[in-house]
Amino acid sequence: MSIETLAQEIGKIAQNDGDHQTGIPQLSIHRRSASTAPMHCIYGLGLGITAQGGKQVTLGEQVIAYGPGQSLLTTVDLPVVSHVTKASLAQPFLGMMLRFDGSALLQLATEMALPPVSREQVSRAISLRPLEAPLLDALTRLVQLLSEPELITPIAPLIQREIMVRLLSGPHGPYLRQLVASGSPSHQIAQAMTWLKQNFSRDVLMNELAASVHMSPSTFRQHFRNLAGMSPVQYQRQLRLQQARQLMLNQALDASTTAARVGYESASQFSRDYSRLFGAPPQRDIKRMQHLSLADAEPPAP
């Protein structure tokens, strides 16, 4: 299999621009005919592949550009800025995202005889590595399976298991094994991140959160920044603001109501933080986002 073959298979399914969910719940495919504006989003545990074109992801101060022949793994929920950098009508951006279940990865990791990872070192929760031929082959077969919907139920789990095994044993392996190793700093920080995601609107003392994962405050902050590329406070703030943006877009809430909904006591502080992250005050940003959505919905000019 080649990366061109994967691009062809994705193109057969994603014949129009957009983000396409598939008959395999964990798999989505993506197509763009032009470069896009930077978009704030959250990447969860999963593998992103660019089969054609180019993409850029920014995590904190880290900027990652990747294209065909590379694979991007994220091991925890990360607030990132993502955009397509290379795409045209003749050569559209074509990509895929495959999400994983953490418990399934943990089960596989315990079954495999894998070398141990450092229990002290904390690596960044995002990893860019060359796309190895066996992994590319498995990913291509998974996309090809979409053309045989009657076979998805019995076969897709087998291919997904193969993909997880190859990730655990390949260049991305240390990042995944560090995440699932019980008692490791990465595992403890991931637990704290999960709590913050589920309780982002609550006021929390970071010292108490550090104690909950059996770390000193200074060690907790250091490991958190190493893994997430930002401090715990910045992480919680981005979760709040991204949720706020979705509430205003999807439920037409005003800024004051939204601020209180996501945990802000001060509407003015909310507006300042929002402007700093998204580049415009809430009302102006939402109008801009709505305009972009309408423009995306319109057919391209002849």
Side-chain angles (χ1 to χ4, degrees), residues 1-3 5-7 9-10 13 22 24 27 96 98 131-149 151-152 155-166:
M1 299 287 186
S2 66
I3 195 68
T5 301
L6 178 58
E9 295 298 330
I10 292 174
I13 300 163
T22 73
I24 301 171
L27 175 65
M96 61 179 286
L98 182 62
L131 185 56
E132 296 180 304
L135 179 58
L136 172 60
D137 177 76
L139 291 166
T140 304
R141 285 187 279 112
L142 188 67
V143 176
Q144 289 174 330
L145 190 62
L146 295 172
S147 64
E148 301 178 280
L151 299 180
I152 287 177
I155 297 180
L158 303 178
I159 302 177
Q160 289 170 285
R161 180 183 173 89
E162 176 188 350
I163 290 169
M164 288 190 290
V165 168
R166 294 194 179 281

Side-chain angles (χ1 to χ4, degrees), residues 5 10 22 24 28 85 119 157 163 167 183 185 201-202 212 228 230 239 249 255 259 284:
T5 301
I10 292 174
T22 73
I24 301 171
S28 60
T85 56
R119 298 180 66 87
I163 290 169
L167 286 172
S201 63
R202 292 176 54 181
S212 74
M230 63 191 73
L239 292 177
L249 277 171
R284 190 191 311 165

Side-chain angles (χ1 to χ4, degrees), residues 1-301:
M1 299 287 186
S2 66
I3 195 68
E4 291 79 14
T5 301
L6 178 58
Q8 291 171 3
E9 295 298 330
I10 292 174
K12 290 178 185 177
I13 300 163
Q15 298 185 10
N16 301 306
D17 282 4
D19 304 317
H20 304 266
Q21 295 303 313
T22 73
I24 301 171
Q26 301 80 11
L27 175 65
S28 60
I29 55 177
H30 311 270
R31 179 187 180 118
R32 298 290 188 277
S33 295
S35 58
T36 62
M39 176 65 67
H40 290 264
C41 55
I42 294 179
Y43 279 10
L45 174 58
L47 185 70
I49 304 294
T50 293
Q52 183 172 280
K55 195 171 186 180
Q56 181 174 293
V57 174
T58 302
L59 171 64
E61 298 179 354
Q62 183 181 12
V63 179
I64 302 171
Y66 71 109
Q70 297 174 300
S71 57
L72 186 75
L73 176 79
T74 49
T75 57
V76 296
D77 292 329
L78 295 174
V80 302
V81 181
S82 172
H83 67 115
V84 172
T85 56
K86 185 179 179 182
S88 67
L89 286 172
Q91 294 284 322
F93 169 86
L94 297 170
M96 61 179 286
M97 175 63 72
L98 182 62
R99 296 174 298 279
F100 302 114
D101 177 70
S103 59
L105 275 168
L106 174 60
Q107 179 62 34
L108 273 176
T110 58
E111 295 174 7
M112 299 169 65
L114 297 169
V117 295
S118 169
R119 298 180 66 87
E120 299 303 325
Q121 181 183 1
V122 174
S123 300
R124 189 59 52 87
I126 193 165
S127 166
L128 181 68
R129 290 292 183 269
L131 185 56
E132 296 180 304
L135 179 58
L136 172 60
D137 177 76
L139 291 166
T140 304
R141 285 187 279 112
L142 188 67
V143 176
Q144 289 174 330
L145 190 62
L146 295 172
S147 64
E148 301 178 280
E150 70 280 4
L151 299 180
I152 287 177
T153 298
I155 297 180
L158 303 178
I159 302 177
Q160 289 170 285
R161 180 183 173 89
E162 176 188 350
I163 290 169
M164 288 190 290
V165 168
R166 294 194 179 281
L167 286 172
L168 283 164
S169 60
H172 288 296
Y175 295 85
L176 284 172
R177 299 201 300 275
Q178 195 176 65
L179 173 71
V180 299
S182 180
S184 71
S186 292
H187 182 73
Q188 291 168 299
I189 295 298
Q191 288 180 313
M193 287 179 169
T194 298
W195 190 94
L196 283 172
K197 186 181 179 184
Q198 294 171 347
N199 301 275
F200 63 84
S201 63
R202 292 176 54 181
D203 289 331
V204 58
L205 294 176
M206 291 302 162
N207 290 357
E208 294 179 359
L209 188 58
S212 74
V213 293
H214 312 293
M215 288 184 180
S216 69
S218 60
T219 299
F220 176 73
R221 290 182 178 87
Q222 177 186 347
H223 285 333
F224 198 106
R225 183 176 290 277
N226 288 343
L227 189 69
M230 63 191 73
S231 71
V233 172
Q234 290 170 324
Y235 184 84
Q236 183 188 41
R237 183 184 302 132
Q238 288 210 25
L239 292 177
R240 285 179 169 181
L241 293 171
Q242 291 205 34
Q243 177 65 19
R245 197 186 210 188
Q246 291 304 311
L247 285 173
M248 287 186 287
L249 277 171
N250 299 331
Q251 299 184 25
L253 299 181
D254 61 66
S256 296
T257 302
T258 303
R261 182 81 65 88
V262 300
Y264 274 85
E265 295 182 0
S266 167
S268 59
Q269 184 62 52
F270 168 73
S271 183
R272 286 193 295 271
D273 287 348
Y274 192 100
S275 299
R276 192 175 297 117
L277 182 62
F278 297 122
Q283 187 175 6
R284 190 191 311 165
D285 175 66
I286 295 304
K287 287 183 178 178
R288 179 179 63 188
M289 293 293 293
Q290 291 170 338
H291 176 74
L292 287 173
S293 297
L294 288 172
D296 289 341
E298 294 174 356

